[in-house]
Amino acid sequence: MKNYDHREIESAWQKRWDDAHLFEVDNTPSTREKAYILDMFPYPSGAGLHVGHLLNYTGSDILARFERMRGKDVLHPMGWDAFGLPAENYAVKTNVHPAISTEKNTLEYKRQFKQVGTSYDWTKEINTSSPEYYRWTQWCFAFLYKKGLAYRKDGLVNWCPKDQTVLANEQVVGGKCDRCGSEVVQRSLRQWYFKITDYADRLIADLDDLDWPEKIKSMQRNWIGRSEGAALWFAIDGSEEKVEVFTTRADTLFGATYLVVAPEHPLVTILTSDIQEAAVAAYIEETSRKTELERTFTDREKTGVFTGAYAINPATGEKIPVWVADYVLSNYGTGAIMAVPAHDERDYAFAQKFNLPIVRVLGDDSDELPLTSKGVLSNSGVYTGKDSEAAMKDIVASVGGERRVTYRIRDWLVSRQRFWGAPIPIAYDEEGAEYLVPDSELPITLPMNVDFSPTGKSPLVSALEWKQYRPDGENGPTLTRETDTLDGFVCSSWYFLRFPTPHDDTQPFDQTALKKWFPVDTYIGGAEHAVMHLLYARFLTKVFFDAKLVPFHEPFKTLKNQGMILGPDHNKMSKSKGNVINPDDVIAEFGADSLRAYEMFMGPFDQEKPWNTTGIVGVRRFMEKVWKLQEKVGSTKAGPDELRAIHFATKKVTEDIQGCRFNTAVSTLMELVNTLSQQETIQKDTFATLLKLLSPIAPHITEELWSLIGQDGFCSVAAWPTYDEAYLVVSEVSYPVQINGKVRANITVSSTATEDEVRAAAEANPTIQSYLKDQEIRKVVVIPGKIISYALNS
RNA sequence: GCCGCGGUGGUGGAAUGGUAUACACGAAGGACUUAAAAUCCUUUGCCUUCGGGCUUGCGGGUUCGAGUCCCGCCCGCGGUACCA
């Protein structure tokens, strides 16, 4: 027997798979079942992959290989989410064009992917930064523009001072730039948006049918933030103006003792009296200097200024002051609220500080204020004594209000002041009127010679020649191209549609191919994309569905999140901590099969767990045991123990892989190998079945052994084994005997024994007899095949 | 605060309401070896007067039987937050 040399085996089989085009599929309709197993495609960074990234790709590869062996057509593609800031920043530093560094990085990623034995169909490879691809990203923008779902507007936007670009709300995490961690500031700019708010209701409702982690679904629900309430209008005393407020607690209207408008509210200047003008102006100025982070710091003291104006509470007819304060957000609801200090914590704190009246309209004096729960109304005119929830509708109607739903989610800001992204297919005339570049002229390619120095504007602003656009040729007017590029998340919100037909130059995606493959059966990636990519992708899919361009309204049926792999020190892997494990090193020492199996064996797929350098040793020992088992192949007939072991393992591994319980699939195989190792000989069929069960997890060693024992073809595409329950039954079964909940003895009876026979056998046992002596049996429970339990009266 | 997830040996973890601690790492002892590595074997939750007793974050409950189900807490992780 040769030694197990992973170095020799692994690269050889990778080459044979390639040469045989083993994992390539086409889009021809088939009667066979299909499986689309997809990874969230990576951004090819200069740092390369570490072992944490491979967890995700190994999991999906096991699923793909498993489904393939089960006879399905499997689409398992890989591509590159290649537009992005790091490549551009690298270009600023080194003057290497992003296209060049990206190309280099993708080749390195591809090498690493092949080295771990992934079974991707590389004929489907896509790269979002190639004109062949981003032509259709531009087409997507144009499509939304034509549908009225892409528009440009002025407004306050999030600006990252370090990355020198605007950001979508989803990319601001805790007031900081999701990418670089800088504190985000607000700027007033004219930017491009996608109207995701039109789809808010459906994006919430359709979550119910998705097989996704509850965590992700709840994050999306919270992010969209649907809130049912009412719009109410407050007349301004001595003016024609009305202030529209949004409230979810119209039941407390009788307790509204003042109004608050946001500092950015358009009516502020009109409302402000001459006397208060200076104070209000100073306050607005002060607010505008605060960062978003400062403003969302909830436990800071409330600030605000009286405008000098009074509104009329439409329920009580009383004059109530109008204040301006930054605890009211301009971009939620109507940017104005009715303040009910008795029943809202924030209003209460504000009223306390500025000595504003507090009027109780719920509960009685025994309830401490602020009382924020609903209940029985008090001090509320004809509604006094009624249930607040029930009275809400009538109160709204009585003052001419309107029931309304608002959302927390904002439209998706898609323009970026950066170079390395898809140019927006828009041009402007001298008056600034928009002109959509026709689809026939796409792609608008990025110029090669550009000054990347950050200026706060897109580097494309300096591409003078590129910017000029003459739609009607030399004689027509010269327009100016949009110099902002599209958010990288636009590229990644439709890429899964492109995989079946990556090189189609007539359309972005193909109906027939989509019908064959969609929806994605299993999508694997990190939870950090919960309210970004996963929301945007659902949105775009729905847009295309409505236009009958795709035959499904949700792209990803099942979603799995992989857990993070921490460094051996239990910290997040990072260069600065020096705890990064490089897969190249692990593969060189232990082999790709051991790396794959160890990553799966570490613990539940979706759980965070630390890398343990000595832990992989056990998995490598397991591979050696499998290797040695080839010497035991020889017996012509498998005994009952062997048959039971292999059929049990087949059942367990099949179920575990289906449920992404890869850790227990590996331990089941370890138990099987331990059992088989103890036998003198094993049947060839048994060994072949073991190899097939192990193949998705450790594809190289199994392929080599498959060939060594003289099996035909590739183990990687051999038919997945089936099991027969008949082999799982045992002739004798051991029963623990419990007395008052404690196990006192074990008895062995025939597996066909009746309950009475089990009980008779238990009571024949001397230990049990001694426990039962002189005792009154209250109850006996026999669970067939499991346990017998006595409850005594004592 | 709100939402989601979790708490089991020295470590990673296993367990359709049915013998808690599978599988693996580590550790200890032994075999082989001149020696070491590798390999193989044994032991390995805690306490014990060696009869047994205790043990899945804490306290209750349901049940013949609870890591698992119910109620009330504590702790950790992740997300989110002046969202009216």
Side-chain angles (χ1 to χ4, degrees), chain A residues 251-271:
Chain A
D251 53 321
T252 62
L253 176 58
F254 285 81
T257 53
Y258 63 100
L259 290 193
V260 186
V261 296
E264 299 85 0
H265 196 281
L267 285 180
V268 169
T269 42
I270 299 167
L271 291 174

Side-chain angles (χ1 to χ4, degrees), chain A residues 269-433:
Chain A
T269 42
I270 299 167
L271 291 174
T272 303
S273 67
D274 294 345
I275 303 168
Q276 291 298 95
E277 200 178 328
V280 169
Y283 182 71
I284 291 172
E285 164 65 19
E286 187 193 321
T287 311
S288 69
R289 276 202 308 270
K290 284 184 189 140
T291 64
E292 192 63 5
L293 190 64
E294 284 167 337
R295 277 193 66 172
T296 54
F297 203 58
T298 57
D299 49 0
R300 86 189 156 91
E301 191 151 349
K302 300 262 179 298
T303 58
V305 175
F306 178 45
T307 59
Y310 286 87
I312 309 296
N313 181 324
T316 62
E318 279 174 30
K319 268 172 69 172
I320 58 175
V322 180
W323 283 62
V324 52
D326 68 358
Y327 82 92
V328 170
L329 307 174
S330 64
N331 59 0
Y332 184 77
T334 60
I337 62 153
M338 64 178 211
V340 185
H343 305 294
D344 182 279
E345 282 178 24
R346 297 148 300 180
D347 298 343
Y348 185 79
F350 193 81
Q352 289 266 306
K353 179 169 176 188
F354 294 104
N355 267 323
L356 291 159
I358 298 170
V359 175
R360 171 196 290 279
V361 294
L362 272 171
D364 54 47
D365 292 344
S366 64
D367 302 306
E368 208 178 305
L369 295 180
L371 172 66
T372 55
S373 56
K374 289 178 183 166
V376 178
L377 290 167
S378 53
N379 199 16
S380 295
V382 298
Y383 304 100
T384 300
K386 291 191 172 161
D387 178 71
S388 64
E389 182 75 55
M392 184 126 58
K393 219 169 105 184
D394 295 335
I395 294 176
V396 172
S398 72
V399 297
E402 210 174 79
R403 281 149 69 77
R404 184 175 293 177
V405 177
T406 51
Y407 301 89
R408 205 184 83 102
I409 192 172
R410 305 262 70 89
D411 276 339
W412 173 17
L413 199 171
V414 295
S415 42
R416 295 289 179 276
Q417 290 68 52
R418 303 298 315 205
F419 168 76
W420 194 229
I424 296 173
I426 291 281
Y428 306 98
D429 67 15
E430 282 173 7
E431 262 84 59

Side-chain angles (χ1 to χ4, degrees), chain A residues 736-745 762-763 765 767-773 775 777 779 787-794:
Chain A
V737 185
Q738 267 186 1
I739 293 175
N740 285 344
K742 290 205 184 337
V743 177
R744 297 300 183 181
E763 285 164 29
N765 180 290
T767 314
I768 298 305
Q769 277 174 357
S770 71
Y771 276 101
L772 296 182
K773 194 163 180 273
Q775 298 288 327
I777 298 172
K779 192 170 182 180
I787 201 165
I788 172 165
S789 178
Y790 289 86
L792 305 180
N793 271 336
S794 54

Side-chain angles (χ1 to χ4, degrees), chain A residues 96-115:
Chain A
V96 174
H97 195 277
I100 293 166
S101 54
T102 298
E103 159 107 38
K104 188 173 148 251
N105 292 348
T106 56
L107 286 174
E108 174 63 4
Y109 265 62
K110 197 167 173 178
R111 179 192 68 77
Q112 288 191 299
F113 276 130
K114 289 199 168 192
Q115 187 187 231

